[in-house]
Amino acid sequence: MIYNFGTESVIEFLTALAALSTIIVLWRHRKSLEVKYLLYIELLVVVWSIGYAFEFATNQLALKILWAKLSYFGIVFLPVYYFLFTSAFSQRSNLKIKNIIFLLIIPLITLVMAFTNNRHQLIWTNVTLDPRYNTVHYQHGIGFWVFWGYTELLIFSGIINLIKSFYKFTAYYKSQIITLLIASLFPILGNIIYITGWNPHPGFDWTPVSFVISGIIATYGIVRFRMFDLVPLARIKLMDTMEDGVIIVNTEGYIEDYNKSINEIFNFSPKYNFIRKPFTDIFGGYEVLKEGINSRSVERIYFSFFIDSEKKYYQARISPIYSRNQTISGNMLVFHDITHVKQAEDKLKEINKKLVDEIRHREKLIDDLDSFAHTVAHDLKNSLGSIVSSCEVMQEGIKDNETELVTELAELIKVSASKTLQITQELLILATVSHQDIRKSELPMKNIFSEAKLQLQELITAKNAIISEPEIWPVAIGYASWVEEIWTNYLSNAIKYGGTPPKIEVGAEETENSTIRFWIKDNGNGIRKEQQSKLFKKYIRLDPKKAEGYGLGLSIIKRIAEKLDGSVGVESTGEPGKGTKFYFELPTSISV
């Protein structure tokens, strides 16, 4: 009989069966990269164990050697996939296809050497059959020892990966790592027993059995600790498809995991990897985030930053991660883009502000009209009443041919009509300033002031006013007809409230705020501090007993200046003879 399946073969078949059972248990977790590598390991153990089982079952040396060679399909790749398994678990970033291919070079060469050993004896220099135990004793060549050294290097590197993970992962995963470290010791022990000859069953290789034991222990850890329901560091696979950015930070402040959305959010290079780096080194510019990761409760933090000149707004939800014994083992940061929400919110605020400003403007307009009604109605009534009464008396005077009386009444009608026209003109200006869109330009101030004087020439002559003005005026930006109205009002008040005769000084000077201040100073009794606060508000007469103004002038000046992006003001000590200086400021450039 060619094959006789004894105890050794049964052990190997049971080993293969255990490996297959492990594969079945692990299959539902296959989406995890770590589990995929573990499945490959168990599949290779199946190949190795079946080949080894048939090697023990035959008593013909040639067939034993053939099955030994076939076993190498499982043997040579096992250490590579063990190393890949530990690398994936420890979240190393060098698991690229080209690196995996590089790792497989020596196993592939070893496999070729095993099948061509008759030509070079690099794997086995001598093979003998021990009929007592029906086992084969191999004297290994240099090729085998190179592969053995490579195997030990990979297994040792894998253990180093797990040890590093033990110190860098959160407490939640330390029990998982211990489980994998214990599982890793069995293949090493089985291989040492076979290589050193400290074997209770001479010629029997316990390595595939030890790999199955490792797989069973790892499988227990997967089921018991749900190792890969959450990838190490609470990293669910859904993270890779999330638009929201996710970062896991341990209690020592190291970044343990993140998804690819983080690179997109913070404009990092896709090749840039910052796992195991301090959070403060990567996100040191975001103080609010640094403070948030020290919290022991759920925090919501709002922050903004610029990406390619575009301002982005994000909400960061920072949640503590708890281990099974309810101790904090780190924090999870989830970044959600709220740029569109923030922009909509800002737009609503802008619209709301415009509405509030419009309401205030309307309220002010109503207030202005109310003030006007109280301030001006009486004067309009008197002026129009004077006109009507004078006309009635004139009719009688004409009948009686009283020329002198008619002339006097005509002058009175003229004065009353002028007052009415002045009020009407000021109201028109007020309405124009409030609603008209104008085109601002450089002002020929010398000509504008001359036009204002021309309008008041009769008053200037009547009061014998003395006016001094600069020869050269600085250039400001504004609207000529409105600025002329400012000068007309200021000059009119200066003449009315000045001394006897009025001595008026006009000037202009640059300010530190990139504006030009134009001013006019009279030689009157000045205005007390408590009165100055009432100026430019509503419709206040400066001195009702002395002046014939209607309180609209200064309010109009203020409106005009503000509409031209300027301002108005007054300076006075209130001392008799010291006079008052009124001014207005206009910009030197057109605002955008």
Side-chain angles (χ1 to χ4, degrees):
M1 182 180 289
I2 298 176
Y3 293 102
N4 182 20
F5 298 99
T7 303
E8 296 86 353
S9 296
V10 171
I11 291 174
E12 293 299 333
F13 278 126
L14 290 175
T15 300
L17 183 62
L20 286 171
S21 300
T22 303
I23 290 173
I24 293 171
V25 174
L26 290 175
W27 188 253
R28 69 186 183 91
H29 301 278
R30 65 188 180 278
K31 291 184 179 180
S32 168
L33 181 60
E34 296 88 333
V35 173
K36 285 181 180 178
Y37 289 134
L38 196 53
L39 286 170
Y40 288 134
I41 290 173
E42 295 305 309
L43 184 61
L44 292 169
V45 169
V46 170
V47 173
W48 187 355
S49 298
I50 291 175
Y52 207 23
F54 278 98
E55 180 184 341
F56 270 105
T58 183
N59 55 10
Q60 296 183 14
L61 181 61
L63 284 177
K64 284 183 178 291
I65 293 174
L66 175 62
W67 283 110
K69 291 178 179 179
L70 293 173
S71 297
Y72 264 71
F73 279 104
I75 294 171
V76 296
F77 300 116
L78 262 173
V80 173
Y81 280 97
Y82 170 78
F83 174 74
L84 293 175
F85 166 73
T86 60
S87 297
F89 180 85
S90 60
Q91 300 292 290
R92 292 186 61 177
S93 60
N94 58 353
L95 300 178
K96 298 178 181 179
I97 295 297
K98 63 179 182 180
N99 293 331
I100 295 175
I101 293 173
F102 177 77
L103 290 172
L104 292 172
I105 292 175
I106 290 180
L108 287 170
I109 292 174
T110 303
L111 184 63
V112 172
M113 287 193 299
F115 276 89
T116 59
N117 187 72
N118 292 339
R119 297 181 181 180
H120 46 69
Q121 284 79 45
L122 291 174
I123 300 298
W124 307 296
T125 58
N126 187 35
V127 182
T128 58
L129 177 63
D130 185 349
R132 290 177 301 169
Y133 298 103
N134 192 30
T135 56
V136 178
H137 295 285
Y138 298 94
Q139 291 182 0
H140 298 107
I142 186 66
F144 172 85
W145 292 113
V146 169
F147 171 71
W148 182 84
Y150 182 67
T151 297
E152 297 304 313
L153 176 63
L154 288 177
I155 293 176
F156 179 75
S157 299
I159 292 174
I160 293 298
N161 285 339
L162 296 178
I163 292 173
K164 287 181 178 180
S165 299
F166 183 84
Y167 289 103
K168 291 184 178 180
F169 285 9
T170 60
Y172 185 87
Y173 298 100
K174 294 191 185 300
S175 55
Q176 301 176 7
I177 297 168
I178 291 173
T179 301
L180 293 178
L181 281 170
I182 293 173
S184 300
L185 296 177
F186 284 90
I188 297 175
L189 182 62
N191 192 249
I192 290 175
I193 290 174
Y194 175 72
I195 293 297
T196 60
W198 300 340
N199 197 334
H201 193 301
F204 186 83
D205 190 350
W206 295 91
T207 307
V209 177
S210 63
F211 265 109
V212 167
I213 294 173
S214 294
I216 292 172
I217 293 174
T219 302
Y220 168 78
I222 291 170
V223 175
R224 170 65 178 83
F225 300 118
R226 303 183 70 184
M227 249 182 229
F228 304 116
D229 286 353
L230 294 177
V231 179
L233 318 163
R235 188 187 198 280
I236 60 174
K237 289 304 181 182
L238 183 60
M239 283 171 58
D240 287 335
T241 60
M242 290 174 62
E243 291 185 2
D244 289 349
V246 180
I247 299 177
I248 308 298
V249 183
N250 66 21
T251 52
E252 289 78 31
Y254 286 88
I255 295 172
E256 294 190 330
D257 198 16
Y258 64 94
N259 66 352
K260 62 182 181 181
S261 294
I262 290 296
N263 296 81
E264 298 171 2
I265 290 171
F266 292 96
N267 204 26
F268 294 143
S269 169
K271 297 181 179 179
Y272 181 52
N273 187 303
F274 46 85
I275 286 179
R276 311 291 179 265
K277 294 183 180 178
F279 181 84
T280 52
D281 288 358
I282 307 301
F283 300 95
Y286 303 92
E287 290 295 331
V288 291
L289 296 181
K290 289 166 60 180
E291 295 172 4
I293 62 172
N294 295 321
S295 173
R296 292 295 180 264
S297 60
V298 176
E299 297 282 344
R300 284 181 174 83
I301 295 172
Y302 299 88
F303 66 103
S304 62
F305 55 93
F306 285 92
I307 296 292
D308 297 329
S309 301
E310 180 184 0
K311 193 170 186 179
K312 306 288 287 185
Y313 295 88
Y314 277 86
Q315 178 199 71
R317 189 179 189 273
I318 304 177
S319 306
I321 301 173
Y322 292 91
S323 62
R324 289 183 304 279
N325 59 5
Q326 294 303 303
T327 59
I328 293 179
S329 56
N331 282 287
M332 176 183 289
L333 291 80
V334 179
F335 297 87
H336 181 63
D337 189 348
I338 58 170
T339 302
H340 294 300
V341 175
K342 182 64 176 175
Q343 289 173 345
E345 181 182 313
D346 291 342
K347 188 68 176 178
L348 287 174
K349 286 182 179 179
E350 182 182 348
I351 293 172
N352 184 61
K353 183 178 181 301
K354 288 181 178 180
L355 287 173
V356 171
D357 290 343
E358 183 67 19
I359 290 170
R360 287 176 179 171
H361 174 73
R362 298 299 178 186
E363 289 176 347
K364 190 174 187 303
L365 181 60
I366 292 171
D367 190 42
D368 289 344
L369 291 174
D370 184 64
S371 298
F372 166 74
H374 286 84
T375 307
V376 179
H378 182 266
D379 296 292
L380 278 174
K381 182 180 178 181
N382 286 342
S383 295
L384 294 173
S386 297
I387 293 172
V388 172
S389 300
S390 298
C391 288
E392 291 175 351
V393 175
M394 282 181 67
Q395 289 175 339
E396 296 297 326
I398 291 172
K399 290 178 182 179
D400 297 336
N401 198 24
E402 295 181 7
T403 306
E404 186 176 343
L405 177 61
V406 171
T407 302
E408 184 179 341
L409 290 172
E411 185 62 29
L412 180 59
I413 290 173
K414 180 182 177 182
V415 171
S416 297
S418 296
K419 290 180 181 179
T420 304
L421 286 172
Q422 184 179 349
I423 294 172
T424 304
Q425 178 64 20
E426 289 179 336
L427 287 174
L428 287 173
I429 292 172
L430 189 64
T432 301
V433 171
S434 299
H435 300 92
Q436 182 179 350
D437 290 328
I438 48 89
R439 183 167 187 158
K440 291 179 281 188
S441 60
E442 293 184 354
L443 298 170
M445 196 60 75
K446 185 176 183 65
N447 295 337
I448 293 172
F449 187 71
S450 297
E451 289 296 323
K453 286 194 300 180
L454 189 61
Q455 287 190 48
L456 299 172
Q457 189 58 51
E458 187 175 336
L459 181 61
I460 293 171
T461 302
K463 295 288 187 175
N464 294 319
I466 301 171
I467 303 171
S468 63
E469 61 181 279
E471 287 295 326
I472 300 176
W473 295 76
V475 177
I477 302 298
Y479 186 57
S481 62
W482 286 1
V483 175
E484 183 180 328
E485 185 64 26
I486 293 176
W487 280 123
T488 302
N489 274 280
Y490 271 167
L491 187 55
S492 174
N493 285 337
I495 295 171
K496 293 173 184 177
Y497 298 105
T500 306
K503 293 183 179 179
I504 300 167
E505 184 180 356
V506 179
E509 58 201 22
E510 294 186 17
T511 70
E512 297 178 354
N513 301 322
S514 299
T515 61
I516 305 295
R517 174 176 290 189
F518 299 95
W519 52 268
I520 182 168
K521 187 176 184 305
D522 61 51
N523 61 335
N525 291 330
I527 303 171
R528 296 191 303 274
K529 293 290 183 182
E530 60 271 19
Q531 290 180 316
Q532 292 177 25
S533 61
K534 299 178 182 180
L535 296 174
F536 304 105
K537 293 181 180 180
K538 296 188 177 181
Y539 305 103
I540 305 299
R541 284 193 179 91
L542 297 176
D543 187 352
K545 294 180 180 180
K546 181 176 181 181
E548 298 177 354
Y550 299 93
L552 283 168
L554 293 180
S555 179
I556 291 173
I557 288 172
K558 186 173 185 294
R559 287 286 189 88
I560 290 173
E562 290 176 350
K563 187 76 171 180
L564 296 177
D565 300 320
S567 60
V568 296
V570 61
E571 296 175 0
S572 179
T573 62
E575 298 179 26
K578 296 293 185 178
T580 302
K581 178 190 281 187
F582 282 92
Y583 65 84
F584 64 97
E585 294 180 1
L586 294 176
T588 56
S589 61
I590 299 175
S591 61
V592 179

